[in-house]
Amino acid sequence: MTTFPTWDDGTTGTGPDHQVHWYDEGTVIIRQALRTNFEGPFIYLLLGSERALLLDTGTGHIDLRAVVDELLTGRDLELVIAHTHGHGDHVGGDPQFDKVVGKSAEEVAQYFGITAWPEQIVQFDLGDRVLDVIPIPGHHASHLAFYDRSTRLLITGDSLYPGRLYVFDWSAFRASVVRLAEFVAAGNPVDFVLGTHIEMSQESGVDFEFGSSEHPGEHELQLSPAVLVELAEVLTEAGDRPLRIVRDHFIVYPLSATGEPL
Ligand SMILES: [Zn+2]
Ligand SMILES: [Zn+2]
């Protein structure tokens, strides 16, 4: 039986600088505490029989290396460190590690063997655990989603989470989300969609102010696959024109190339 914990929402203002949750015996979800950085990113560690994949290194404000080393103690696994995408709040801890997959779309494509970016979906085997690696640029040029066949988890990074979905390249984002929804519909069942932040409250359509280090009454991390379908639908409906779209579980938030809200 797989469960999710109550995440540290920052309201106590004290406590550990991160939270570790074993979703199952091979899947670890780490949340960097909001008090260490308002982004409070989620970080994923997926264990196979040969390799462990660390997805993201957080903002760099915690000793993630020590956390990961402890989690992997006694396991003879090659550690691969890659990212959902290259924004600073997901790559900030990179210098703590010896070897990290690069942040550009070119480096990501080369590492995972993607020759037709972004349409091609490739497989990455952790050893008895196959992940589908799905390019989804739009929030960031090198953004990837990861589908884990064994747990039926879909890790969507900053492209879909309960919060403000910042869209830097509208047409790329729309195409990516539609492709991702089609991938799921094509026979890849999803139990939960997992992103890398929480910015929504439990109240439908209501988010916490940008930069908040306290999230009283925070939305849960996991989203149902129906929310991915909903996102694809509202983007398709919006068409070519970037549009802010407020829904119960997410807010589509288009930005200009320089980061200004549109
Ligand atoms: Zn981002
Ligand atoms: Zn982020």
Side-chain angles (χ1 to χ4, degrees), residues 231-248:
L231 177 61
E233 280 172 359
V234 298
L235 291 172
T236 300
E237 211 170 292
D240 290 333
R241 203 168 66 91
L243 199 65
R244 194 177 301 186
I245 305 167
V246 180
R247 305 291 292 191
D248 287 357

Side-chain angles (χ1 to χ4, degrees), residues 174-262:
R174 197 178 43 162
S176 291
V177 170
V178 167
R179 265 201 328 276
L180 191 58
E182 284 170 356
F183 168 82
V184 173
N188 297 289
V190 169
D191 285 355
F192 297 110
V193 172
L194 298 177
T196 36
H197 300 281
I198 300 173
E199 291 158 356
M200 301 302 286
S201 70
Q202 288 161 14
E203 207 176 320
S204 293
V206 178
D207 56 335
F208 298 103
E209 204 178 311
F210 176 82
S212 308
S213 56
E214 296 183 13
H215 291 177
E218 190 180 66
H219 194 290
E220 43 189 34
L221 169 68
Q222 69 274 21
L223 295 170
S224 91
V227 178
L228 172 61
V229 174
E230 179 185 353
L231 177 61
E233 280 172 359
V234 298
L235 291 172
T236 300
E237 211 170 292
D240 290 333
R241 203 168 66 91
L243 199 65
R244 194 177 301 186
I245 305 167
V246 180
R247 305 291 292 191
D248 287 357
H249 303 287
F250 60 81
I251 299 172
V252 177
Y253 205 101
L255 297 174
S256 72
T258 53
E260 299 300 314
L262 293 175

Side-chain angles (χ1 to χ4, degrees), residues 37-79:
N37 183 279
F38 72 90
E39 297 282 9
F42 290 81
I43 295 162
Y44 296 90
L45 182 64
L46 308 177
L47 311 182
S49 61
E50 292 163 29
R51 273 171 288 282
L53 176 65
L54 180 69
L55 284 178
D56 294 354
T57 61
T59 68
H61 294 88
I62 66 170
D63 188 354
L64 184 67
R65 173 69 184 265
V67 175
V68 172
D69 282 351
E70 193 184 323
L71 288 167
L72 294 179
T73 297
R75 299 169 194 268
D76 186 20
L77 296 174
E78 177 202 355
L79 175 61

Side-chain angles (χ1 to χ4, degrees), residues 39 85 87 89-90 139 158 196-197:
E39 297 282 9
H85 65 294
H87 280 151
D89 51 325
H90 304 272
H139 169 77
D158 277 8
T196 36
H197 300 281

Side-chain angles (χ1 to χ4, degrees), residues 69-179:
D69 282 351
E70 193 184 323
L71 288 167
L72 294 179
T73 297
R75 299 169 194 268
D76 186 20
L77 296 174
E78 177 202 355
L79 175 61
V80 175
I81 300 141
H83 311 100
T84 58
H85 65 294
H87 280 151
D89 51 325
H90 304 272
V91 305
D94 281 11
Q96 298 173 15
F97 297 91
D98 304 323
K99 207 177 81 189
V100 178
V101 176
K103 294 180 289 191
S104 71
E106 291 73 20
E107 290 167 298
V108 165
Q110 190 181 17
Y111 181 79
F112 288 105
I114 301 166
T115 53
W117 180 280
E119 289 84 14
Q120 189 186 7
I121 296 171
V122 298
Q123 284 69 47
F124 186 66
D125 192 352
L126 302 178
D128 303 310
R129 186 175 192 180
V130 175
L131 305 178
D132 293 282
V133 182
I134 308 157
I136 50 166
H139 169 77
H140 185 271
S142 71
H143 208 305
L144 295 173
F146 293 84
Y147 175 66
D148 180 13
R149 299 178 185 189
S150 64
T151 56
R152 306 213 248 185
L153 294 175
L154 180 66
I155 297 174
T156 46
D158 277 8
S159 294
L160 177 54
Y161 63 89
R164 291 178 290 274
L165 311 179
Y166 295 112
V167 181
F168 291 87
D169 182 334
W170 182 263
S171 61
F173 187 74
R174 197 178 43 162
S176 291
V177 170
V178 167
R179 265 201 328 276

